[in-house]
Amino acid sequence: MSKIDTILKRARAGEELSVEDLVALLSITEADELQMLFDCAYFLKEQYVGKIAYFRGIIECSNLCIKDCYYCGIRKSNTSVERFQMDEDEIFTEAVWAYEADYGSCVIQSGERQDEEYILMIERVVTRIKKATDGKLGITLSLGEQTEETYARWRQAGAHRYLLRIETTNPEIYAKIHPADHLLEERKACLARLRRTGYQVGTGVMMGLPGQTMEDLANDILFLKQIDIDMVGMGPYIPHSDTPMGKEIPSYTDEQKKDALQLGLKMIAVTRIVMKDINIAAATALQALEYTGREQGLRCGANVIMPNVTETDFRPKYQLYDNKPCTDENSSLCRGCLSGRIKGIGETVGFGEWGDSPHFHSRNGTEAT
Ligand code: 5AD
Ligand code: FES
């Protein structure tokens, strides 16, 4: 039996894997072994969360941002971006669209703002969406670092899940890809605040960052396990030409795209093997590398997809990385397109369901909605 075979067998038997085991899995390049890894992850996905893909309609409601991350296309110093901010009515309309499209839940995401005007607007719109949908539309927020009070206000208004990526858990890499006042420790503190305020908490990293090793990524996965995360959203780093990092390493060659996609898929598979009953998103960035990237993500263990429900006019202004997919399409088109792709791989869409992470409910002894 090969080394990989043995590790996967131990994983299926419920044994804890070491950092060395994870490095071995992430380092696979050989086609047969890759298939074994993906099959194992898919087997565990089927056992623990089923062959159902949940849709979260993502509303990218503003590209104003007070942060200046060196990789991100909407960083505050990027003067080539035309800034926009949806108003309360616009966000509300898109959330109702997601509800009527039977998505079960939506995600409200934007660049980071910490001013009271914004905090209050989000609080009001969340309250309004909950009321108009009779509490039925689940609301996830992805609005960056905030105080515990702000998280609590938004939770009180009705949001029940929150996504905040840690980006990388290696302090040196974190310091290289962010300005000095963006602190890894603050990210960690925010994740703890979110947990305390009662959210289902999602985090994740970018893969393929300059200087990042397989060991770093293995440690990232073990960090997610250690903080007992409910949801994971992670994706390949993709250069954006108007950012400091994108200027250093310009756009990927076809070969680099293939490698980045493979690494993204391996990370999903290994994460599923390590944390069997959590929700894992097939990030949109996978599709920037290959047209079928997102469904490949589902085949490797992911169970969540985030169809864009943002008004088409705004989409090109929310380019976190180059070649972001679906910027010319509209919400109905993405709905049909993604439903077809999911059917194509023999899965069903969890229409009308929140699709909470089973892990959250088993930890809390609560019933899934
Ligand atoms: N490539 C890939 N992902 C990116 N993000 C931001 N910029 C990039 C990029 N260039 C991701 C970050 C952030 C999320 C909203 O988008 O991980 O947390
Ligand atoms: Fe948007 Fe396919 S998902 S067009």
Side-chain angles (χ1 to χ4, degrees):
M1 200 183 270
S2 78
K3 181 177 165 195
I4 298 300
D5 243 334
T6 317
I7 299 174
L8 294 176
K9 197 162 168 231
R10 284 175 34 228
R12 272 194 298 267
E15 253 182 67
E16 295 249 327
L17 299 184
S18 65
V19 68
E20 291 77 23
D21 293 330
L22 302 194
V23 169
L25 295 178
L26 292 171
S27 306
I28 296 176
T29 51
E30 209 255 312
D32 285 357
E33 290 190 337
L34 264 184
Q35 200 52 54
M36 271 163 45
L37 170 68
F38 296 158
D39 288 349
C40 175
Y42 201 67
F43 169 82
L44 292 169
K45 163 178 156 170
E46 221 181 319
Q47 299 273 303
Y48 285 84
V49 295
K51 281 167 58 172
I52 306 170
Y54 293 103
F55 277 178
R56 325 299 194 200
I58 183 160
I59 305 165
E60 297 161 338
C61 70
S62 163
N63 63 4
L64 300 180
C65 194
I66 58 168
K67 291 286 174 73
D68 220 8
C69 308
Y70 296 146
Y71 46 85
C72 183
I74 64 167
R75 62 197 299 269
K76 75 168 174 206
S77 299
N78 185 4
T79 48
S80 328
V81 186
E82 197 190 320
R83 301 287 165 174
F84 76 96
Q85 167 74 64
M86 283 184 201
D87 64 24
E88 205 184 302
D89 287 342
E90 285 166 326
I91 300 173
F92 177 77
T93 305
E94 293 182 0
V96 170
W97 189 93
Y99 178 64
E100 286 170 353
D102 216 13
Y103 280 3
S105 67
C106 70
V107 180
I108 302 176
Q109 188 180 79
S110 72
E112 202 167 293
R113 276 183 66 178
Q114 297 170 341
D115 53 289
E116 176 57 26
E117 187 191 340
Y118 194 60
I119 294 168
L120 190 62
M121 190 274 282
I122 294 292
E123 191 176 23
R124 275 202 309 257
V125 79
V126 168
T127 309
R128 206 169 137 197
I129 296 166
K130 285 311 268 188
K131 197 159 168 237
T133 63
D134 207 12
K136 290 200 184 87
L137 186 71
I139 302 177
T140 304
L141 300 179
S142 178
L143 304 169
E145 294 173 7
Q146 303 291 342
T147 62
E148 188 148 344
E149 191 212 334
T150 300
Y151 287 144
R153 278 170 66 183
W154 291 342
R155 176 78 188 92
Q156 188 65 31
H160 81 293
R161 299 192 282 235
Y162 203 102
L163 305 174
L164 179 68
R165 286 192 184 169
I166 193 85
E167 316 296 0
T168 171
T169 59
N170 177 324
E172 276 123 55
I173 300 179
Y174 197 94
K176 266 197 205 127
I177 66 173
H178 295 103
D181 62 351
H182 295 27
L183 301 175
L184 177 59
E185 287 312 311
E186 178 62 13
R187 273 291 153 105
K188 289 187 182 168
C190 283
L191 292 171
R193 281 171 209 156
L194 287 163
R195 172 58 57 78
R196 280 198 298 272
T197 34
Y199 288 91
Q200 291 175 41
V201 184
T203 188
V205 297
M206 282 183 288
M207 297 76 100
L209 291 166
Q212 194 179 40
T213 63
M214 295 304 169
E215 187 150 33
D216 290 325
L217 292 170
N219 282 324
D220 288 342
I221 294 177
L222 292 176
F223 168 80
L224 303 180
K225 184 174 167 63
Q226 185 210 325
I227 65 165
D228 203 17
I229 211 70
D230 304 304
M231 316 180 285
V232 169
M234 58 191 173
Y237 160 66
I238 300 173
H240 185 294
S241 53
D242 290 329
T243 60
M245 278 167 63
K247 287 204 169 85
E248 241 165 69
I249 304 175
S251 61
Y252 288 159
T253 60
D254 285 350
E255 200 56 29
Q256 284 173 315
K257 278 190 193 166
K258 239 177 87 197
D259 290 347
L261 177 66
Q262 193 183 86
L263 181 60
L265 298 175
K266 286 192 285 189
M267 277 293 280
I268 291 178
V270 177
T271 302
R272 173 62 67 202
I273 287 169
V274 172
M275 287 165 284
K276 302 179 176 59
D277 61 349
I278 62 167
N279 279 344
I280 304 178
T284 311
L286 293 171
Q287 197 182 319
L289 299 170
E290 197 174 309
Y291 184 65
T292 61
R294 282 197 273 184
E295 51 270 43
Q296 290 186 53
L298 295 177
R299 296 284 310 163
C300 293
N303 67 327
V304 166
I305 283 219
M306 297 185 186
N308 202 327
V309 297
T310 310
E311 176 65 46
T312 309
D313 291 351
F314 290 127
R315 293 187 184 196
K317 299 179 189 142
Y318 200 83
Q319 295 258 13
L320 307 181
Y321 44 85
D322 286 338
N323 303 319
K324 188 162 173 260
C326 304
T327 45
D328 297 330
E329 283 76 9
N330 65 33
S331 306
S332 309
L333 220 131
C334 288
R335 185 184 191 277
C337 174
L338 281 173
S339 305
R341 289 159 182 243
I342 285 159
K343 216 168 137 201
I345 59 162
E347 297 205 354
T348 50
V349 180
F351 281 119
E353 293 175 62
W354 283 7
D356 283 341
S357 143
H359 187 73
F360 176 82
H361 290 292
S362 65
R363 174 155 35 80
N364 290 281
T366 47
E367 288 275 318
T369 313

